[in-house]
Amino acid sequence: MPIKPEEWFLTAQERGNPATKLEPWTTGNLVRPLIHGATYFSELKACMDALEKDDLLLFTDWRGDPDERLTDDGPGVAEVMAQAAARGALVRGLIWRSHLDQLRFSAEENRHLGEKIEEAGGQALLDTRVRPGGSHHQKFVIIRHDRRPQDDVAFVGGIDLCHSRRDDASHRGDPQAAPMPDVYGERPPWHDVQVAIKGPAVAEVEKVFCERWEDPAPETRQPFRRLRDHFSHMDDVPPLPKPGPPPDPVGPHAVQLLRTYPYRRWAYPFAPLGEFSVARAYGKVLRNARELVYLEDQYLWSTEVVEPFARALQDSPELRMIIVVPRYPDQDGWLAGPASQIGRADALARLLRAGGDRVAVYDLENHDGVPVYVHAKVCVVDDTWASVGSDNVNLRSWSYDSELSCAVLDHSFARGLRRTLAAEHLDDDDPPEDVFEAFRESADRLESWHESGCKGPRPPGRLRPHPPTELTRWRRRLVYPLYKVAVDPDGRPPALRRSGSF
């Protein structure tokens, strides 16, 4: 039976943001999952190397390291973009200005990436038009050709153009590693997903970039930053060329772009009261869930955000849920680590109360037993609707930071994405259809092997049962206020916040 988009996708009214220029959804697209940073970077480099005079390269980034190699033998991402600019391509970037490096962020790295692009004749803005403590978390690249529109492509997902992301299925880690807790080793294994989009949806991704680029508000209101940007020629905003027509239909996939923009005192002209279509989409899709929700997420915080998942489990007695998360947070220390675990502990407790043994939670390790950091943001519902993007399942991603996700409505795409991920996690190129039981059995075997002192051959698979988080009462009382205010803040307008809706 054909899928009716209006039953799964948000209508224009349900999006709740009449100021946007986005279409409710597009059809005729071809979307391919790119599992792992190495896969994505290799394809991205090939596309950027093919850029010619008057072609267009647009990108956004949460963190960018100019020397991050896109392939084993390089060159770095900034050099590839500079080469495209030197050939006459128009290169424009929106890079989050970031917090201080001393706080394990990337202010200087992001600035250096922007400066390298400027030196080559492109233009990059350090964009801090966010709420206090928030970030521009969108990670996408658009490539449009002046004379070869059939090669137009957009890449959307959770992979930044930075260190630690260029890992592959072996999960030995990126040789250029970003700082991580010691439990992840010198080269932290990294699991991530991006999608490549061709067809009319490419023009919709371009609209997302144009809306942000054309925002008349200054990219920073701090005088010293504005002065520094001026002297480094990073404060000019040349107009973008008029967008070309949308690419022709090329495939069977219906695509909807989902976003988060917070409510701000200095409102976004393209989202005056914010946009919370990521959250609204989950609310609608999960009401349709009947068989299996497959979720990979970096955080899974906030009982408020997991409530639609919990209600789906309560309303559908046959529904099962698989969740893959990192074993350890990406911050360590006596304060930051517990702060990042509190929300997950409460969220998982709520899901387990709702679904009991129909909810299974796992983390990953490579074949050397090193934990794999799960940075992916993937959800597949009933092998029908699938989302890959920058948003995590937490209140920050659903209301406070800017986010962009690509939702695809197609049985073959959704089932194929789920099976591809399952094949890797199980070490089985043809995973069983009952993936819920297959995951449980694989994780139990690997856990038993570890408990035996790793005697005998290591069983196939990379799944470990995710252990419950235990926090002392005094630490919970001390850290919980920090978690709510700084780690997982709420960016909704006051009326929505009071109503508890998005």
Side-chain angles (χ1 to χ4, degrees):
M1 181 180 297
I3 308 172
K4 296 181 180 179
E6 62 274 12
E7 294 180 357
W8 289 83
F9 283 160
L10 298 175
T11 64
Q13 184 175 5
E14 289 170 333
R15 182 182 289 271
N17 178 20
T20 184
K21 300 175 183 177
L22 291 184
E23 296 294 331
W25 59 77
T26 58
T27 57
N29 302 289
L30 181 63
V31 185
R32 293 181 296 110
L34 305 176
I35 315 297
H36 312 303
T39 304
Y40 168 44
F41 284 179
S42 177
E43 184 159 333
L44 177 62
K45 180 180 182 298
C47 290
M48 290 196 292
D49 285 346
L51 287 166
E52 301 173 344
K53 181 176 172 52
D54 297 327
D55 291 344
L56 191 62
L57 169 60
L58 310 175
F59 75 95
T60 67
D61 214 2
W62 178 80
R63 170 175 176 146
D65 288 303
D67 64 336
E68 171 64 17
R69 293 190 296 273
L70 296 182
T71 56
D72 288 339
D73 54 356
V77 61
E79 185 176 346
V80 177
M81 291 184 177
Q83 291 170 352
R87 293 192 299 271
L90 188 73
V91 180
R92 300 286 184 265
L94 287 164
I95 309 169
W96 179 46
R97 187 176 293 271
S98 188
H99 304 316
L100 297 176
D101 289 19
Q102 291 86 339
L103 300 177
R104 279 198 170 179
F105 287 95
S106 51
E108 287 306 308
E109 288 81 0
N110 288 5
R111 172 170 285 279
H112 293 159
L113 176 58
E115 289 171 346
K116 293 288 186 183
I117 293 169
E118 293 275 345
E119 291 169 5
Q123 180 67 36
L125 297 181
L126 294 175
D127 191 354
T128 188
R129 291 170 288 197
V130 296
R131 286 179 64 122
S135 73
H136 279 305
H137 199 239
Q138 297 172 342
K139 311 134 193 288
F140 63 87
V141 178
I142 305 151
I143 290 176
R144 301 207 66 178
H145 295 272
D146 186 56
R147 291 168 290 278
R148 291 180 288 115
Q150 69 275 12
D151 293 335
D152 289 356
V153 62
F155 299 96
V156 175
I159 304 180
D160 302 281
L161 304 175
C162 71
H163 294 166
S164 273
R165 274 45 171 187
R166 191 169 59 86
D167 201 357
D168 56 26
S170 69
H171 287 310
R172 305 295 180 187
D174 187 336
Q176 296 170 278
M180 289 284 287
D182 292 342
V183 290
Y184 288 103
E186 293 183 1
R187 287 173 52 170
W190 199 276
H191 175 66
D192 224 331
V193 182
Q194 199 88 347
V195 292
I197 307 168
K198 289 197 168 187
V202 172
E204 298 302 296
V205 184
E206 185 178 7
K207 289 178 186 178
V208 176
F209 184 93
C210 292
E211 285 183 342
R212 277 186 56 189
W213 185 267
E214 294 166 358
D215 185 346
E219 59 271 17
T220 179
R221 295 181 182 273
Q222 296 188 19
F224 292 109
R225 286 180 171 178
R226 294 184 72 173
L227 189 64
R228 185 180 180 186
D229 287 355
H230 177 73
F231 283 113
S232 57
H233 306 289
M234 296 185 68
D235 61 346
D236 55 321
V237 188
L240 295 171
K242 183 180 179 180
D248 291 336
V250 292
H253 300 148
V255 167
Q256 180 166 70
L257 297 184
L258 304 171
R259 305 185 299 183
T260 298
Y261 288 114
Y263 167 73
R264 300 173 69 231
R265 180 180 175 186
W266 291 285
Y268 296 113
F270 48 84
L273 295 177
E275 180 176 318
F276 311 101
S277 53
V278 168
R280 292 181 174 208
Y282 272 104
K284 182 170 185 174
V285 166
L286 290 168
R287 288 193 291 271
N288 291 336
R290 296 293 181 270
E291 298 176 3
L292 178 68
V293 174
Y294 179 87
L295 181 68
E296 295 188 354
D297 196 75
Q298 181 184 5
Y299 293 127
L300 193 72
W301 291 342
S302 175
T303 52
E304 187 170 6
V305 167
V306 301
E307 192 59 29
F309 295 85
R311 286 198 300 268
L313 288 163
Q314 292 170 337
D315 293 344
S316 300
E318 302 301 315
L319 179 65
R320 297 186 292 182
M321 191 172 296
I322 295 173
I323 301 170
V324 181
V325 293
R327 173 158 291 220
Y328 304 103
D330 60 353
Q331 298 285 337
D332 52 15
W334 73 275
L335 189 60
S340 60
Q341 293 181 24
I342 286 176
R344 183 183 297 168
D346 291 346
L348 290 179
R350 173 69 180 102
L351 293 176
L352 290 169
R353 287 197 305 272
D357 60 6
R358 292 181 290 128
V359 178
V361 188
Y362 304 99
D363 49 60
L364 301 174
E365 68 178 30
N366 66 17
H367 292 154
D368 293 329
V370 180
V372 175
Y373 189 70
V374 178
H375 191 259
K377 301 97 167 56
V378 174
C379 186
V380 181
V381 178
D382 287 354
D383 283 354
T384 301
W385 178 94
S387 174
V388 175
S390 67
D391 58 285
N392 295 293
V393 179
N394 59 6
L395 195 55
R396 173 179 285 277
S397 278
W398 284 22
S399 73
Y400 208 84
D401 293 339
S402 71
E403 308 284 2
L404 178 68
S405 281
C406 170
V408 181
L409 196 59
D410 181 81
H411 288 304
S412 295
F413 176 87
R415 180 175 180 271
L417 174 60
R418 176 186 61 76
R419 284 181 59 82
T420 298
L421 294 167
E424 177 183 314
H425 302 336
L426 295 170
D427 285 329
D428 185 345
D429 291 337
D430 187 20
E433 281 304 311
D434 190 350
V435 70
F436 190 90
E437 286 302 315
F439 271 39
R440 182 185 61 79
E441 293 170 2
S442 178
D444 286 348
R445 284 194 299 268
L446 188 54
E447 191 71 9
S448 296
W449 181 76
H450 278 285
E451 290 175 352
S452 72
C454 304
K455 295 179 181 177
R458 183 188 188 280
R462 307 156 188 227
L463 295 157
R464 301 281 301 277
H466 186 67
T469 300
E470 296 183 4
L471 297 169
T472 59
R473 183 175 298 178
W474 73 265
R475 186 170 283 187
R476 179 181 288 274
R477 287 179 176 175
L478 176 65
V479 176
Y480 191 75
L482 170 69
Y483 157 72
K484 290 301 295 179
V485 173
V487 178
D488 204 32
D490 193 335
R492 292 173 289 178
L496 286 182
R497 193 180 307 176
R498 287 193 296 269
S499 69
S501 67
F502 290 91

